[in-house]
Amino acid sequence: MRLKLNLDYSTAYGEQLVLNVLTGLDDKVVRHAMSTRDGRLWTCEIEAPLGDASMDYYYSVERDGIMVRHEWLVMPHRLDPVSAAAHRCVAWDHWNDIPADSYLYSSAMTDCVARREMHPLLAAAGAATIVVKVRAPQLRTSERLVLVGRGKALGDWNPVKAFGMVEHNHNEWVTALDASTLEARQMEFKFGIASREQATSLVWENGDNRTITLPDLNAGEVLVYELTQAHFPLPPVKLAGTVVPIFSLRSERSFGVGDFGDLKRMIDWVAGTGQRALQVLPINDTTITGTWQDSYPYNSISIYALHPQYLDLNQLPPLHDALKAAQFEQLRQELNALPQIDYERVNNAKREYMQLLYAQEGTAVLKGEEFKTFFAANQDWLVPYAAFCHYRDLYGTATFGQWPDHRTFSDEERKAMSNPRARLYKEVAYWYFVQYFLDKQMRGAHERALDKHVVLKGDIPIGISRDGVEAWVEPKYFNLNGQAGAPPDAFSANGQNWGFPTYNWDAMLADGCSWWVKRFRKMSQYFDAYRIDHVLGFFRIWEIPIDAVHGLLGQFSPALGMSADEIRGYGLNFQEQFMTEPFIADWVIDRVFGPHARLVREQFLERSHDDIWHLRPEYDTQRKVEAAFAGKDSDDDRWVRDGLYALISDVLFVRDRKNPALFHPRISVQHDFVYETLYGADKEAFNRLYNDYFYRRNNDFWYHEAMKKLPKLVQATRMLVCAEDLGMVPDCVAWVMDELRILSLEIQSMPKDAKLTFGNLNNNPSRSVATISTHDMSTLRQWWDEDAERTQQYYSSVLWRGDAAPHPLPGWLATDIVRNHLNCPSMLTLLSLQDWMAIDEQLRLPDADAERINIPANPRHYWRYRMHLTIEQLMEANAFNTKIKDYITQSGRK
């Protein structure tokens, strides 16, 4: 069939429009240059590949052969085969940018909340056909789109006679009309929403009647009109949900830690209480040391492999050895009765169980067709992951730089480990076996969520482990001589040093961010929404020197460093040596070290001149100090060690990592001694420079950095995109998130307006996620008792109560706070399980401090919180569940 595509799109001189036809093979397209006579109406005529399948395509703009922009890739145009007798098709399209309501096109909406079946377009009976397409994303599960208009063929404006349409693509509806039945050259019509069962009444679209002026059509011709989106007078979608780590779940059948079977049960509870979303923390394998320190879920050894602790042993074949099975059951009951997770015992037990099961079932499972399908689809990451685990255990460390051999992964090894007949395959096949069952169980949980119309929301960490698979097999993508972290904030006065390597964005951008695209697409097999952890990292990351322990000596990367002349231009008398090396004077030593001052001078310092000192070479970095104090844990030792850390970071500027002639003001230096020594005028000049640098200087630069990366990632899948945009947020972050329609995170106690103490929930943007606390924060009940003065201010100015704030937080007051969050404009209100339970004094955990998940200021925190009730008990808490369901309904959330 000959196909002529028409697009009304104004271009600038030198720009070329291109038609990109998707082939269905990864991201490969067939490109066709379009032509124009006036720079506005572009056309392209091709032999259409329309057989029994549809054709998907999008338009792009090129300049000098380089793509400069393209349409929204999540929803490409679609043409369906209309009739085998058709020989020519003319389509009129329009350019599709990211719509303001793009979230309605996400799989969170189309596959979960408003899940509907899609159907192919049915051909009209006539010789010539008019096809009408329109996008209408506001319909719910039980609704359909109809067309009704002037004339008998269009129903004479009678809703009962409305012309039914089919949803052939997500939120895109289409119908085919026999051109010979249309009584006039001009179609006049509107779209309406009808229920699946009947169309006696319609919800009519906004705006005037639509009209299409029809040309003469010959037999075998098809005319396709793609119309602008239909909008209806309906309220915006608002959902409620729960946030809880999978490891924190507890059921009668779990093995001391939450698992994928418990996730299914939790989905049932969420659905039963009228909630539509369940958010979890990262679920990837973090096994580095084999100790409790691996409990940190944001330091995974693989961005693909799932953590073996989440295996639900109840879904696996039973062990044939009755004695072993009984022993494991006894251990399961013991571990499951503990108030918190015993990470090491749980994971050691599950590994022993899986090794026994592998010996029993491995041969049969690995020969099965289901496993072979899994292996073929995942071997690109699965083989190096299995190899890494094998060598980690063989050599006793995950630090591959310390391995005596196999410090790189060769193609020969990869090939052998992919061949079932090879010796190396048999050595690593256990890990294939484990990941096969993990994948199967997590997919099963995702299917349960889809069936229950619940959005399962995952979490994508910003970093990867330097002792992990990706750093081992793809080192070109990472800067292993740096450390990622976060500048000081309310969670940590010294900043956070996560230890992750930073990204080599030049290498990642060179291949179209394929590393990230593959990562997101794998995640979309399990989730329909995701949280980008520390989205600021896509604008700039806080990069800390490899020899630093704290985050204070970091700098944003990339960032525009300042020359000495620029610094002087602010009126600051820049003295390079004084301002870039630690300022250590006698009065500083006495103030920091008190009774230990003499010891510090004698053992760790050397005199420079007068009352000024410098650190001895063997102690001049924080890592050297850390090594010197290894194993020393007395109060005095910690005092001296932390004091030396503080001396090392007592600088006014840090040098640029790439260009030592450029400088960056040291973060939060206003609290340090070197700043204290400045004259008043110099302090004022420095503060002007500081504020310009951190909040204005890099805004445009960081905007363009983010726009090189994030558009590729958010359009790689149809998952709903949310971001954690807390901390030191430059203005450009809001620009990018608005442009890409990314949901922000809004926390009332951490307002983004620096002039406010508490945010106004009524001012939350609709495209946002509202919550009370996160896993890095105190729970609502903890927060309430931490700072009585601040609590009283919240009680009086936000809750509008005139008496003294009660302590501890009573259930009725927690209810008010929860309901305020449900009533806010945010599209999603997602509350931690602990904050939901705060409303019920009989149900909640008596010890509020035992509900804390993480303390960011402690890099060695043990992540072991478990809900104190079982999910079965939670399901039976009828009064509590009814309250949640009622509050959600009354707030207008679905």
Side-chain angles (χ1 to χ4, degrees), residues 622-644:
Q622 291 181 342
R623 289 296 180 197
K624 290 179 182 179
V625 172
E626 180 184 50
F629 282 83
K632 300 177 181 180
D633 203 34
S634 70
D635 290 343
D636 288 343
D637 286 328
R638 287 196 297 271
W639 184 344
V640 174
R641 182 200 63 192
D642 293 347
L644 291 171

Side-chain angles (χ1 to χ4, degrees), residues 482-689:
Q483 306 174 94
D489 56 20
F491 301 129
S492 178
N494 289 321
Q496 298 177 49
N497 184 349
W498 303 323
F500 308 138
T502 57
Y503 293 112
N504 180 357
W505 283 110
D506 291 338
M508 288 186 160
L509 289 168
D511 64 8
C513 291
S514 62
W515 186 90
W516 282 97
V517 169
K518 288 186 288 187
R519 181 181 188 181
F520 278 54
R521 288 180 177 170
K522 178 61 180 175
M523 192 175 188
S524 69
Q525 297 174 7
Y526 306 133
F527 299 102
D528 290 293
Y530 64 92
R531 165 190 178 268
I532 303 177
D533 172 46
H534 194 66
V535 73
L536 302 181
F538 291 93
F539 296 76
R540 78 293 186 273
I541 196 72
W542 189 246
E543 188 173 36
I544 303 164
I546 198 69
D547 59 11
V549 173
H550 292 159
L552 291 175
L553 290 172
Q555 60 187 243
F556 286 125
S557 178
L560 303 174
M562 308 183 76
S563 69
D565 287 341
E566 282 184 282
I567 295 171
R568 294 187 183 104
Y570 280 86
L572 179 65
N573 180 22
F574 181 66
Q575 303 169 54
E576 183 171 328
Q577 182 174 356
F578 167 66
M579 294 182 174
T580 60
E581 295 182 4
F583 173 73
I584 308 174
D586 276 328
W587 65 270
V588 172
I589 299 168
D590 292 337
R591 191 186 298 182
V592 172
F593 297 101
H596 307 293
R598 181 177 178 180
L599 168 70
V600 169
R601 287 187 179 94
E602 292 175 351
Q603 184 173 343
F604 301 100
L605 302 176
E606 294 177 347
R607 188 182 297 275
S608 297
H609 61 84
D610 303 317
D611 68 336
I612 303 300
W613 300 73
H614 63 267
L615 288 145
R616 293 179 183 273
E618 58 268 36
Y619 305 111
D620 62 359
T621 72
Q622 291 181 342
R623 289 296 180 197
K624 290 179 182 179
V625 172
E626 180 184 50
F629 282 83
K632 300 177 181 180
D633 203 34
S634 70
D635 290 343
D636 288 343
D637 286 328
R638 287 196 297 271
W639 184 344
V640 174
R641 182 200 63 192
D642 293 347
L644 291 171
Y645 287 164
L647 291 187
I648 292 167
S649 62
D650 188 23
V651 296
L652 203 64
F653 290 90
V654 295
R655 292 185 187 273
D656 187 86
R657 302 281 180 267
K658 295 181 179 180
N659 185 348
L662 298 178
F663 307 90
H664 306 261
R666 208 219 76 188
I667 192 79
S668 295
V669 73
Q670 290 89 341
H671 304 292
D672 272 357
F673 305 111
V674 64
Y675 178 83
E676 190 176 332
T677 66
L678 298 179
Y679 293 114
D682 283 341
K683 287 180 180 177
E684 290 179 9
F686 179 81
N687 289 339
R688 287 196 304 273
L689 175 155

Side-chain angles (χ1 to χ4, degrees), residues 240-241 748 761 770-772 780 794 799 809-824 829-840 880 883-884 887-888 891 893:
Q748 191 174 29
L761 290 174
T771 193
I772 298 173
L780 172 60
Y794 181 84
L799 300 181
L809 179 69
W812 62 265
L813 193 51
T815 298
D816 282 357
I817 296 171
V818 165
R819 298 191 72 176
N820 287 345
H821 282 76
L822 290 173
N823 290 329
C824 78
T829 292
L830 304 180
L831 305 183
S832 71
L833 181 63
Q834 301 96 305
D835 289 346
W836 276 120
M837 285 205 237
I839 69 176
D840 192 312
F880 173 67
K883 282 194 288 187
I884 290 179
Y887 297 158
I888 291 172
S891 72
R893 295 184 180 272

Side-chain angles (χ1 to χ4, degrees), residues 736-776:
V736 171
M737 290 180 61
D738 184 63
E739 190 169 339
L740 299 180
R741 317 297 192 240
I742 298 173
L743 274 65
S744 63
L745 179 61
E746 306 297 328
I747 301 177
Q748 191 174 29
S749 61
M750 296 179 64
K752 290 172 180 165
D753 186 341
K755 297 187 292 294
L756 298 178
T757 304
F758 301 105
N760 185 337
L761 290 174
N762 292 326
N763 292 337
N764 281 10
S766 60
R767 199 160 50 231
S768 69
V769 179
T771 193
I772 298 173
S773 65
T774 74
H775 61 272
D776 281 334

